[in-house]
């Protein structure tokens, strides 16, 4: 069973309009690599030039924010859900 990746509305045009896609990998970074191989338009949206998660993107493995885990090295297993959400700021 692959990992389900849920995409926000803003990123869906880069993934043929899909609200969620399946991906494979042992870590969040592997999942991102699988996604960007199939949907190259997502690459600049997910990671910055240094290879880190963009600061304006929040990534969750199931209900856990990967910034407080191992970031791109966070382990994933079959059946996990990776949710990508735009960061929200305001006052």
């Amino acid at each position: 069973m692959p990992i389900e990746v849920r995409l926000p509305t803003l990123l869906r045009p880069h993934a043929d309009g899909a609200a969620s896609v399946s991906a494979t990998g042992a870590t969040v970074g592997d999942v991102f690599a699988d996604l960007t191989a199939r949907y190259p338009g997502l690459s600049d949206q997910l990671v910055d030039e240094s290879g880190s998660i963009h600061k304006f993107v929040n990534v969750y493995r199931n209900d856990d924010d990967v910034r407080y885990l191992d970031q791109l090295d966070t382990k994933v297993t079959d059946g996990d859900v990776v949710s990508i959400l735009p960061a929200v700021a305001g006052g």
Side-chain angles (χ1 to χ4, degrees):
M1 179 184 286
I3 287 85
E4 177 186 358
V5 181
R6 295 182 182 163
L7 301 170
T9 304
L10 184 67
L11 296 182
R12 292 176 189 172
H14 300 289
D16 299 330
S20 70
V21 294
S22 294
T24 59
T27 66
V28 171
D30 293 343
V31 168
F32 279 11
D34 184 40
L35 282 179
T36 58
R38 287 184 290 141
Y39 307 107
L42 286 174
S43 181
D44 292 339
Q45 308 296 316
L46 301 177
V47 294
D48 61 22
E49 57 279 344
S50 71
S52 298
I53 296 172
H54 258 295
K55 65 180 178 179
F56 298 115
V57 174
N58 295 315
V59 180
Y60 293 85
R61 181 200 59 201
N62 301 319
D63 292 327
D64 298 316
D65 187 336
V66 301
R67 289 188 197 275
Y68 301 106
L69 300 172
D70 293 320
Q71 300 185 33
L72 290 174
D73 292 328
T74 300
K75 304 280 187 222
V76 293
T77 58
D78 289 348
D80 279 346
V81 176
V82 172
S83 300
I84 301 169
L85 302 169
V88 178

